Amino acid sequence: MTEISKQTQCQTVITTFEMTPGTCQDLLDELTTAYAEFISKQEGFISAALHVNDAQTRIANYSQWARREDFQAMLRTDEMRKRNRVISGLCKSFEPVMYEVVEGF
């Protein structure tokens, strides 16, 4: 379960995806499958959540990893590189950014 707290010692990754309403569900299906079948089973994975805006033009993904290197290792696998090519074809852009929690309210 996702815990957002500055006491949590983990790497937070927030990824935003931009797409058209016509590809939103397809992209959401790909992301859901990637998490269920592969990402959630990788070393260091803690939790993740997917969020869709009302217009279905953006998906925000919040994930937590034990270490920065765990997330990077997952991205470098052949499996994830293959999946990211499919994901990239379904959206205008996507950008994963690593963050540290500095405060929680």
Side-chain angles (χ1 to χ4, degrees):
M1 177 148 133
T2 303
E3 180 182 337
I4 303 173
S5 167
K6 73 181 196 177
Q7 282 77 33
T8 302
Q9 298 297 311
C10 66
Q11 179 66 62
T12 299
V13 181
I14 300 174
T15 306
T16 55
F17 302 83
E18 185 179 355
M19 82 294 294
T20 65
T23 59
C24 182
Q25 189 58 54
D26 294 332
L27 180 55
L28 192 56
D29 291 345
E30 287 293 332
L31 292 169
T32 300
T33 300
Y35 271 103
E37 294 178 356
F38 182 71
I39 300 171
S40 65
K41 296 171 176 40
Q42 299 308 294
E43 183 175 340
F45 175 82
I46 298 171
S47 66
L50 294 167
H51 308 262
V52 180
N53 72 335
D54 289 345
Q56 295 189 335
T57 56
R58 294 193 185 272
I59 293 174
N61 169 226
Y62 184 95
S63 64
Q64 292 180 324
W65 295 82
R67 301 174 314 128
R68 174 185 196 95
E69 295 81 11
D70 295 329
F71 175 73
Q72 292 170 327
M74 178 275 300
L75 285 180
R76 291 184 186 116
T77 64
D78 289 340
E79 177 70 20
M80 200 61 220
R81 290 174 66 220
K82 177 181 159 188
R83 288 180 185 269
N84 274 338
R85 284 191 289 276
V86 173
I87 289 166
S88 179
L90 291 170
C91 58
K92 295 177 185 176
S93 65
F94 72 98
E95 181 179 13
V97 180
M98 294 186 196
Y99 295 90
E100 291 183 24
V101 177
V102 294
E103 196 58 72
F105 302 95

